[in-house]
Structure formats: C-alpha cells, structure tokens
Amino acid sequence: DDDLFFGQGNKLYRVNTSGTLTYQASFPYAIADLCYFPVSGTDYLFIALEDTSYVAQTYWYMDTSENCTQSNLANGTANFFTAVTTTLWLGVTPNSIRSNTSGLNGGAAWSGVTSVNASAKNITDLLSYNNALYIMKEDRPFYLDSSGVVQLLTNNTASIPSGYTYYGNNAVEW
C-alpha cells in the first residue's frame, strides 16, 4: 500500500507518501501489533488486538482496498504477529505461538500451539530475522530452529529486578 500505518488505542491511522495523516478505522479493542503479510499475491495488514488487561482478542486484517475483516478462524486471537518468508506467525501471551500460510477467513487453519518455555514469563515480541522466527520473552530470547523446535538463544541475560516485566521488548533487526 506504500503508506505508513500505526495504531493508537483502538484506532488505526495512516500516513501517505506526502505526509498526510488520516484516520483509517476503529476496532473493538486496542491495537497491540500490526504485520504486513502477502497472501496469493495480494497484500494484507494483520491487526492484533488486546483488551485493557492485555488479553489477546480476535484479530482483524485489511486488504489494499481498505476493507477490514474480523477473523473467524479457530484459534484466531493474537497479541503479536510477524511474517517469516511465506509463513504468518501469531503469539499469544504468556507463551503460545501458531503458524499459518494465509490467516484469512476460508484459508488454512492455524497450526497446533507451540509453547515457548514456561508460562511464568510472557512473550513480548515476535521477530523475523534471517528467515527464522525469534520469540522475545520477559526473561530471555528464543528462536524456532529449522525443524520447528523452540531453542534458547542465550541464557546469558542480566539479572532482572523483581517485578520488572519488560525485558525482551524493543528488540530489532538492524
């Protein structure tokens, strides 16, 4: 679509190439994450939603004609999205991930759940890097190896102060 999209609360905004800010859509819950993912040659924006307690809600997606559609797929709740090559990944706190080749209503079903470590620490982000899925959690980063097994990226992390739950946030490929 060549525009910049961002969420603020439950509202989706866009900034076009000339810098004009425009309201795009409202959703029933706060926007938690956005992810571009093409399906069969058509571009889509996937929109993860969560309530005020950060509980994942049913996601939506938007096509390039700006039609917003709520998912009706089973297991269609998401706090996070990322795309790794031709696979769309969703994350649900505290520690669940699922994959799909479409994510669209009437498309493929979401995979069975893969648990990422213990449920005591939440997923804070999903990242795509070098054609692999990386899962940031409050305590440590993980990745999915080529056989689909969750692996610990490093156990060499700082001591986390009691009550501080935002380690693993703000990771970026650079």
Side-chain angles (χ1 to χ4, degrees), residues 58-59 61 69-76 103-107 110:
T58 303
Y59 70 86
Y61 56 89
T69 304
Q70 185 176 26
S71 172
N72 63 12
L73 295 178
N75 304 306
L104 304 179
N105 294 344
W110 286 98

Side-chain angles (χ1 to χ4, degrees), residues 5-52:
F5 287 85
F6 67 92
Q8 184 176 20
N10 71 327
K11 296 185 177 19
L12 181 66
Y13 294 92
R14 73 185 311 148
V15 179
N16 66 19
T17 54
S18 63
T20 303
L21 175 66
T22 308
Y23 163 83
Q24 186 65 45
S26 290
F27 298 92
Y29 295 96
I31 296 171
D33 201 11
L34 301 171
C35 181
Y36 156 77
F37 185 67
V39 179
S40 301
T42 301
D43 294 339
Y44 292 91
L45 181 67
F46 284 81
I47 305 156
L49 304 177
E50 58 190 18
D51 67 16
T52 55

